[in-house]
């Protein structure tokens, strides 16, 4: 007859085996969410103080920005005829030119500094003309003008000394474009790869979307985001908010209200992606301080909160493309 101790031990083993048989299987590991990407850009990139202010914001938050430069701001009144737009006579521009040789020198210094800090210098064309009716040849002419003026800006304006390696930098730094007025056409998308560019940021979408790549061009779109008491959609760009808020006219007495509305719109659009699919969020700005700087103030509040998060990256368009297509894009900071 077996001893009681052996019977108890046998029961314990049997119960343990039965428990193991009926235990729930281990849960599958939950895939980590990708980092939330925010892409902030500036069009025309004219005012020197705004160059400095944006670079300081980047240094505080670890962000990298894209500056879409209009090349007429690298020409002084004396050198303006270096640029001839398609269908125009020499020296014509919708947005003027730099006010002086010194202003050109100061802007070139900012471009150099921004590039050295890992920011992205993109093309906004030159004279800010609406190219919707331009041919492929017209667009290529505009791209060549941009490249020539950027490459030779020091010599054209008689600015010395030209930084060592400037030509090499000028040839390599620009890989993307945003059309003035966000005005595009099939001819533009034929010209972009022929000009050696890798991305276009001229699109508009109903909300944040993953940027597709077609014919070698990654195509980004500024999203429409809910804004204001009625949550009506508006393009996520300061100028569109300016028109929404005050009809495109200055109303400095309401600047704080407009700042808060803008901040809320940015933050809500960010939060929707951050807690959802984490599609990249794109925001666009100009160097103009509309409605007493309401939109830049909102940007600084927003970036100071989100760009510093461990699972958020505020990067440039070029950074994004270089990660998606590492064989096609030069290595940049970010």
């Amino acid at each position: 007859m077996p001893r009681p101790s052996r019977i108890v031990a046998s029961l314990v083993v049997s119960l343990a085996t039965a428990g193991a048989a009926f235990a729930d299987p281990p849960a599958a590991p939950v895939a980590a969410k990708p980092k939330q990407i925010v892409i902030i850009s500036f069009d025309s990139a004219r005012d020197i103080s705004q160059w400095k202010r944006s670079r300081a914001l980047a240094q505080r938050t670890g962000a990298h920005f894209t500056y879409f430069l209009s090349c007429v701001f690298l020409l002084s009144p004396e050198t303006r005829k270096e640029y001839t737009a398609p269908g125009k006579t020499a020296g014509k521009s919708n947005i003027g030119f730099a006010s002086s040789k010194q202003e050109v020198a100061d802007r070139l210094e900012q471009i150099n500094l921004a590039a050295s800090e890992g920011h992205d210098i993109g093309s906004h064309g030159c004279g800010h003309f609406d190219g919707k009716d331009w041919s492929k040849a017209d667009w290529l002419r505009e791209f060549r003008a941009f490249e020539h003026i950027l490459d030779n800006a020091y010599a054209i304006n008689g600015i010395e000394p030209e930084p060592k390696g400037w030509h090499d930098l000028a040839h390599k730094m620009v890989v993307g474009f945003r059309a003035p007025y966000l005005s595009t056409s099939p001819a533009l998308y034929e010209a972009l790869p022929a000009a050696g560019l890798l991305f276009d940021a001229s699109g508009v979408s109903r909300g944040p979307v993953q940027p597709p790549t077609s014919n070698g061009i990654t195509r980004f779109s500024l999203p429409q985001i809910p804004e204001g008491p009625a949550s009506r959609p508006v393009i996520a760009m300061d100028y569109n908010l300016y028109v929404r808020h005050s009809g495109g006219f200055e109303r400095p007495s309401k600047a704080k209200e407009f700042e808060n509305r803008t901040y809320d719109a940015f933050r809500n659009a960010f939060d929707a992606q951050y807690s959802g699919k984490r599609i990249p969020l794109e925001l666009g700005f100009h160097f103009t301080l509309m409605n007493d700087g309401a939109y830049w103030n909102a940007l600084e509040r927003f970036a100071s909160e989100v760009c510093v998060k461990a699972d958020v990256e505020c990067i440039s368009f070029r950074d994004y493309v270089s990660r998606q297509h590492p064989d096609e894009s030069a290595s940049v900071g970010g």
Side-chain angles (χ1 to χ4, degrees), residues 7-91:
I7 294 173
V8 171
S10 178
L11 285 171
V12 169
V13 170
S14 298
L15 288 171
T17 303
F22 291 102
D24 291 335
V30 177
K33 278 190 171 185
K35 289 188 176 182
Q36 176 64 50
I37 289 175
V38 179
I39 304 177
I40 297 167
S41 59
F42 303 95
D43 289 7
S44 291
R46 180 172 190 170
D47 191 88
I48 302 301
S49 65
Q50 298 304 95
W51 273 103
K52 294 178 180 178
R53 183 176 175 181
S54 61
R55 289 178 45 243
L57 175 61
Q59 289 163 3
R60 293 196 304 273
T61 61
H64 286 96
F65 302 137
T66 295
Y67 296 92
F68 288 110
L69 175 69
S70 296
C71 85
V72 290
F73 297 138
L74 300 182
L75 297 175
S76 69
E78 294 77 21
T79 59
R80 60 188 292 170
K81 290 194 175 181
E82 283 283 332
Y83 170 62
T84 303
K88 307 290 182 182
T89 56

Side-chain angles (χ1 to χ4, degrees), residues 176-239:
F177 175 72
R178 173 174 283 156
Y181 311 108
L182 304 178
S183 183
T184 63
S185 68
L188 170 63
Y189 291 107
E190 293 174 8
L192 286 167
L197 296 172
L198 298 178
F199 74 83
D200 171 75
S202 309
V204 175
S205 55
R206 289 184 179 273
V209 295
Q210 292 285 358
T213 299
S214 177
N215 197 24
I217 302 297
T218 302
R219 294 172 65 164
F220 295 93
S221 297
L222 284 165
Q224 296 181 69
I225 60 174
E227 188 277 334
S231 294
R232 290 189 298 133
V234 65
I235 296 173
M237 183 173 247
D238 56 359
Y239 179 75

Side-chain angles (χ1 to χ4, degrees), residues 80-153:
R80 60 188 292 170
K81 290 194 175 181
E82 283 283 332
Y83 170 62
T84 303
K88 307 290 182 182
T89 56
K92 299 294 184 184
S93 164
N94 265 357
I95 50 175
F97 294 83
S99 62
S100 66
K101 172 180 173 179
Q102 184 58 53
E103 185 191 313
V104 173
D106 292 342
R107 188 167 295 107
L108 287 168
E109 179 185 28
Q110 291 300 312
I111 292 170
N112 240 327
L113 288 169
S116 71
E117 292 162 358
H119 297 292
D120 174 21
I121 308 299
S123 170
H124 200 41
C126 287
H128 211 275
F129 293 106
D130 187 339
K132 67 179 182 299
D133 296 323
W134 285 358
S135 66
K136 176 183 176 181
D138 290 333
W139 277 112
L140 289 174
R141 178 178 181 176
E142 183 79 348
F143 294 147
R144 284 194 298 270
F146 182 97
E147 183 179 5
H148 168 74
I149 291 167
L150 179 64
D151 188 19
N152 297 285

